[in-house]
């Protein structure tokens, strides 16, 4: 491949070696117009594949129809200069300018703009492209100075485009006539609002074509364009159950199988028009002008636009852009409205067209490569300013294709380039680096997560090219003495060949299968030596792998000779093969690799245990909020993968699942250990107190689920969670950050594995399609669950432990008006500030939302299970509601905190319960009776049962209503509770 590439003489344009043009009076035979555009067979188009197959010719014809329709009706602007010289003779030879075409052109002022090649193209200058030089063939629209002295009408833009797009004059005339009819029947309508294929189907009949077969082919192509634009690739996504789309699909499928009648009054045509008009009128609201949306969906619009841009290349010189490109491009851009193209998509498509043309034409015209590189500067600017997902997808695939092609040559540039084509290497390096920079800096999320100053994309890529190419070149020239058994394998192989060629023909006279017998003997001799060697191997070394791979190759060669020699035997050579038991060298390598993998994984797990025992989870000791152990475990994972792919073995893809499973479990183990001992939501929730009648001043013992307890200043006992006292808020925040960081980096690790596989000598196509072998399965969910548990634990720790003295021992104790929520808010805000300063922004909302949920739960517990030292009157409800509003405002923070809708969602339960506190006692009693009877049925008529505490507070839940009555400070509530349940006033 490398020699073939050198033979193409990269960077040496054929123009530079062709002789000077002949004198003007010497008549040259006209060069043939290319029938098809050049295509790079090994370079797949990244602009997207169409759902229905259309040839380049089909796409070109459809694109030309759009071009003709849009430019025919645009306004004309006179040229500053006009050439009146003869068009080149070869145009009259190949595509004669018929009277019908001329007369039709006269009706289109904008297409009658004369062309000139006297003034150099501004676009070509900007792109650094040279005009056709010595030995180059002239562009179709250029004056040729034939010396005949005749003056004829100058060539128009329309005629130039027809020639450039290889459209026969008959087709051109036919489309023009149809457009005239459409224009006459659509007076006052802009052509952009017309579904062009539909109108052409209506206007063109079989009589307009050379024969019926041509008409039928054209009709099928036009229907396929409608199908692609409206059904397969619409601008606005289409619901598959849409009845209009189903109807249109049925019509098109029927018409593709049987010719469709397209008369104006034909029923099928009317149904087709109705369906097409309905679907083409759907809009996503992005278009300022009214436009029919039938050709502006990706990838159809990009493929059509690609055909238009291809017209900028000289049909006689496929490496040159015509001098009239400025004029032509101005008219091509008039198709943007119909195709949904903007400047960004134009820049990207033009870059691809220039690059593709360089590759497809033998990689000889480096000007094209430099022009594509120049266009990438514009693409880079666009990539920095847009967030369009569709554009980014096309951008990524296009740049990946360009960079992949470039790096295939650059990763072994010593084999690809030499002194004769070093100029081309410079251009390819520039292009590859430019593509890589856009991919990394403007598309990669990994780059955005890091500090930009820490990542120099260009330097990184050049570093990779140099290292890779030099390692390849060094390996080819390194005088590395092989281990003895590897040398022996080589000698045995040569001996077997010598035996087959020199001695076996002689011995066959007496032994018909002498060659097979000879290689079986050699196989056994070498096998004995190899068996002893394998028994002494305890670890994977380069020498061991080298010997085993040499043995594997030797065995394949020997078996091949034996099979060929025994093909005519009665048993087909089975007897000889039975004398050659397999070496199983590959299995021996695999076993050694598995031992290596197990050793690495055991060391990694031991390191995780040791590191987590020493980890302090302190923000001061962290790296940007991440624990050092988390950063180090990711580095060790990368180091292990790098070491694995550097092993000199032939089965990296086959054994990769073993390694991935082990690494996955190690990371899962880290995540599990990182969250262990930090408690859960239930660790901090108190045990619900028994129902009792409130009495201000009485003492109440809050019960926690933990065994340890402490005494408050007023003599009350409150249990203290051992977890909470050993793990503070900043430490929990660092744990959350670390697990989130590990989860985020796993995608990057998986991409790195793909890169390793691509560079692996034994990787095949199915190795890349088997996604499970390259992905982490346990670690991502373990990290997500860990973040969730730690976040909930942090929220309930802050509220039920850190703020317990203010919330449960202070809020509304005694007189509610004198023990309100302000102290709690101040301490809560201090905790939120600590959390916000430490927790990573991508997980911050979740953590603060868990704190908010815990706060609202704690607030409800104070109101509904706060013990007998709290009581409320109906008038206190205003205080409670005002305090809760302050609590919500703290989290909303005037729009700088959590989203209002999230706050409202979490506040729904409290918001539903609070109205009970302002409801009069009689109404509460009546509601309680009603809800209890509804819950327990007829069994509750004689005596109301005591509803159990579920903890799921709700204004319609009997236990919730009963608890409001228990804390109601009036006689009516006391009498009802005494009479119904004989509740005591003290615990």
């Amino acid at each position: 491949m490398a020699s073939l590439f050198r033979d193409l003489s990269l960077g040496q344009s054929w123009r530079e070696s062709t002789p000077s043009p002949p004198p003007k009076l010497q008549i040259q035979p006209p060069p043939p117009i290319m029938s098809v555009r050049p295509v790079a067979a090994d370079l797949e188009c990244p602009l997207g594949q169409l759902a229905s197959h259309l040839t380049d010719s089909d796409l070109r014809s459809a694109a030309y129809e759009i071009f003709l329709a849009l430019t025919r009706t645009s306004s004309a602007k006179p040229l500053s200069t006009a050439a009146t010289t003869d068009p080149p003779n070869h145009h009259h030879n190949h595509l004669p300018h018929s009277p019908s075409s001329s007369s039709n052109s006269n009706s289109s002022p904008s297409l009658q703009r004369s062309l000139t090649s006297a003034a150099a193209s501004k676009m070509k200058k900007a792109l650094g492209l040279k005009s056709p030089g010595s030995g180059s063939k002239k562009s179709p629209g250029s004056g040729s100075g034939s010396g005949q002295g005749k003056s004829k009408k100058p060539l128009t833009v329309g005629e130039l485009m027809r020639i450039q797009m290889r459209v026969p004059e008959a087709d051109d005339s036919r489309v023009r006539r149809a457009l005239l009819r459409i224009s006459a029947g659509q007076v006052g309508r802009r052509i952009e609002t017309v579904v062009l294929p539909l109108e052409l189907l209506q206007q063109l009949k079989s009589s307009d074509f050379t024969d019926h077969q041509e008409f039928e082919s054209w009709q099928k192509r036009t229907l396929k364009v409608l199908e692609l634009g409206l059904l397969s690739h619409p601008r606005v996504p289409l619901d598959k159950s849409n009845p209009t789309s189903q109807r249109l699909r049925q019509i098109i499928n029927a018409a593709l199988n049987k010719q469709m009648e397209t008369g104006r009054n034909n029923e099928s045509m009317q149904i087709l028009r109705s369906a097409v008009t309905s679907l083409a009128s759907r809009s996503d609201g992005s278009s300022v002008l009214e436009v029919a949306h039938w050709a502006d969906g990706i990838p159809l619009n990009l493929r059509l636009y690609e055909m238009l841009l291809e017209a900028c290349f000289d049909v006689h010189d496929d490496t040159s852009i015509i001098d009239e490109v400025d004029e032509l491009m101005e008219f091509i851009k008039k198709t943007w409205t119909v195709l949904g193209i903007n400047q960004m998509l134009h820049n990207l498509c033009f870059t691809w067209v220039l690059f593709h043309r360089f590759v497809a034409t033998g990689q000889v015209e480096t000007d094209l490569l430099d022009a594509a590189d120049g266009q990438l500067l514009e693409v880079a600017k666009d990539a920095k300013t847009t967030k369009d997902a569709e554009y980014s997808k096309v951008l990524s695939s296009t740049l990946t294709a360009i960079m992949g092609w470039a790096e295939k040559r650059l990763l072994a540039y010593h084999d690809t380039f030499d002194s004769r084509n070093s100029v081309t290497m410079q251009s390819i390096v520039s292009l590859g680096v430019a593509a890589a920079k856009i991919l990394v800096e403007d598309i990669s999320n990994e780059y955005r997560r890091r500090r930009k100053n820490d990542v120099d994309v260009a330097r990184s890529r050049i570093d990779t090219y140099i290292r890779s190419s030099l390692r390849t070149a060094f390996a080819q020239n390194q005088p590395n003495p092989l281990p003895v058994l590897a040398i022996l394998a080589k000698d045995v192989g040569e001996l077997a060949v010598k035996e087959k060629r020199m001695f076996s023909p002689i011995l066959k006279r007496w032994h018909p299968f002498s060659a097979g017998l000879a290689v079986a003997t050699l196989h056994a001799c070498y096998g004995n030596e190899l068996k002893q060697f394998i028994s002494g191997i305890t670890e994977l070394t380069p020498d061991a792998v080298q010997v085993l791979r040499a043995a594997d190759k030797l065995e394949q060669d020997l078996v091949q000779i034996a099979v060929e020699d025994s093909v005519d035997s009665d048993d087909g050579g089975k007897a000889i093969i039975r004398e050659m038991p397999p070496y199983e060298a590959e299995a021996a390598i695999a076993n050694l690799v598995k031992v290596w993998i197990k050793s690495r994984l055991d060391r990694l797990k031991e390191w995780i245990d040791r590191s987590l025992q020493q980890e302090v989870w302190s923000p001061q000791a962290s790296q940007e909020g991440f624990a050092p152990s988390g950063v180090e475990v990711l580095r060790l994972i990368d180091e292990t993968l790098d070491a694995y792919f550097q092993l000199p073995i032939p089965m990296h893809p086959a054994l990769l699942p073993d390694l991935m499973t082990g690494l996955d479990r190690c990371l899962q183990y880290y995540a599990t250990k990182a969250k262990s001992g930090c408690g859960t939501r239930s660790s901090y929730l108190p045990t619900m107190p028994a129902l009792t009648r409130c009495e201000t001043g009485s003492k109440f013992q809050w019960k926690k689920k933990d065994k340890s307890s402490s005494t408050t200043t007023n003599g009350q006992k409150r249990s203290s969670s051992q977890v909470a006292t050993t793990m503070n808020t900043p430490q929990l925040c660092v744990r959350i950050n670390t697990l989130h960081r590990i989860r985020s980096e796993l995608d990057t690790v998986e991409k790195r594995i793909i890169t390793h596989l691509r560079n692996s000598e034994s990787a095949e196509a199915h190795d890349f399609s088997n996604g499970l072998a390259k992905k982490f399965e346990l670690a991502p969910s373990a990290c997500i669950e860990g973040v969730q548990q730690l976040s909930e634990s942090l929220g309930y720790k802050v509220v039920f432990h850190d703020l317990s003295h203010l919330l449960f021992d202070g809020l509304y104790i005694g007189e509610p008006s004198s023990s309100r929520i302000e102290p709690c808010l101040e301490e809560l805000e201090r905790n939120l500030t600590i959390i916000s300063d430490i927790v990573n922004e991508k997980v911050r909302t979740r953590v603060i939302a868990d704190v908010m949920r815990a706060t609202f739960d704690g607030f409800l517990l104070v109101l509904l299970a706060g013990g007998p030292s709290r009581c409320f009157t109906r008038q206190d409800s205003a205080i409670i509601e005002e305090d809760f509003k302050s609590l919500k405002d703290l989290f909303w923070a005037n729009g700088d905190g959590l989203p209002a809708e999230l706050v409202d969602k979490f506040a729904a339960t409290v918001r539903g319960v609070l109205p009970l506190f302002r409801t009069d006692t009689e109404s509460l009693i009546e509601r309680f009776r009603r809800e209890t009877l509804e819950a327990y049925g007829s069994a509750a008529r004689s005596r109301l049962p005591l509803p159990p505490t579920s903890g799921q507070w709700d204004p319609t839940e009997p236990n919730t209503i009963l608890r409001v009555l228990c804390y109601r400070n009036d006689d009516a509530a006391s009498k009802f509770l005494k009479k119904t349940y004989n509740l005591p006033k003290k615990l």
Side-chain angles (χ1 to χ4, degrees), residues 209-441:
F209 292 81
T210 305
D211 53 47
H212 185 75
Q213 185 178 359
E214 182 185 8
F215 169 67
E216 189 174 322
S217 297
W218 172 85
Q219 188 181 78
K220 286 183 178 181
R221 186 261 292 169
T222 305
L223 287 168
K224 283 185 179 180
V225 171
L226 278 177
E227 180 184 26
L228 288 170
L230 295 175
L231 299 178
S232 302
H233 309 293
R235 175 64 172 259
V236 181
L238 189 63
D239 188 352
K240 291 184 178 179
S241 62
N242 184 303
T244 305
S245 67
Q246 293 176 349
R247 187 163 60 250
L248 178 58
R249 195 178 300 279
Q250 292 170 356
I251 295 171
I252 291 176
N253 288 339
L256 290 175
N257 294 322
K258 182 180 179 181
Q259 182 184 330
M260 179 181 181
E261 293 296 330
T262 57
R264 182 174 297 277
N265 298 323
N266 183 270
E267 181 181 358
S268 59
M269 189 64 192
Q270 290 177 351
I271 296 174
L272 176 67
R273 178 175 290 277
S274 173
V276 168
T277 304
S278 174
L279 293 176
S281 62
R282 300 180 315 117
S283 173
D284 58 3
S286 61
S287 178
V288 178
L289 299 174
E290 181 185 356
V291 178
H293 300 281
W294 64 272
D296 51 356
I298 293 175
L300 175 61
N301 60 344
L302 300 182
R303 296 303 307 278
L304 290 171
Y305 195 63
E306 181 188 15
M307 293 297 116
L308 294 174
L309 292 178
E310 288 282 355
C312 296
F313 287 94
D314 195 325
V315 292
H316 302 290
D317 178 2
D318 54 18
T319 64
S320 295
I321 286 183
I322 59 175
D323 287 334
E324 300 80 10
V325 64
D326 304 69
E327 189 89 10
L328 201 58
M329 191 66 77
E330 182 181 343
F331 277 79
I332 289 174
K333 289 184 177 183
K334 294 181 184 296
T335 65
W336 284 12
T337 52
V338 170
L339 294 178
I341 300 294
N342 55 28
Q343 188 64 48
M344 290 193 304
L345 287 172
H346 165 80
N347 291 340
L348 185 58
C349 288
F350 196 38
T351 300
W352 168 252
V353 167
L354 289 167
F355 169 74
H356 179 268
R357 182 57 64 108
F358 167 77
V359 177
T361 54
Q363 306 158 30
V364 296
E365 187 53 78
T366 55
D367 284 354
L368 294 174
L369 202 59
D370 294 336
D373 191 20
Q375 275 294 108
L376 274 184
L377 296 176
E378 299 302 318
V379 172
K381 294 176 186 176
D382 296 337
K384 293 181 184 299
T385 59
T386 183
K387 296 182 180 179
D388 187 325
E390 287 288 335
Y391 171 80
S392 296
K393 184 178 179 181
V394 179
L395 173 65
S396 179
S397 63
T398 303
L399 295 179
T400 300
I402 293 174
M403 192 173 74
W405 180 91
E407 294 201 338
K408 186 177 181 181
R409 286 138 184 85
L410 296 174
L411 290 172
Y413 60 78
H414 284 85
D415 290 341
T416 308
F417 304 101
D418 54 30
S419 59
R420 294 173 297 172
N421 55 19
S422 58
V423 174
T424 306
M425 177 183 172
Q426 180 177 338
S427 299
I428 293 178
V429 170
S430 178
L431 190 74
V433 168
K437 287 189 69 174
I438 300 173
L439 278 171
V440 174
E441 295 181 0

Side-chain angles (χ1 to χ4, degrees), residues 664-665 667-672 675 739 743 746 777-790:
D664 196 15
R665 287 174 179 167
L667 284 174
Q668 180 195 32
Y669 180 71
Y670 180 94
T672 303
K675 72 177 182 179
L739 292 187
R743 173 63 189 91
L746 291 184
E777 296 179 340
L778 304 174
S781 58
C783 291
I784 292 172
E785 291 168 6
V787 169
Q788 179 180 345
Q789 178 183 322
L790 290 170

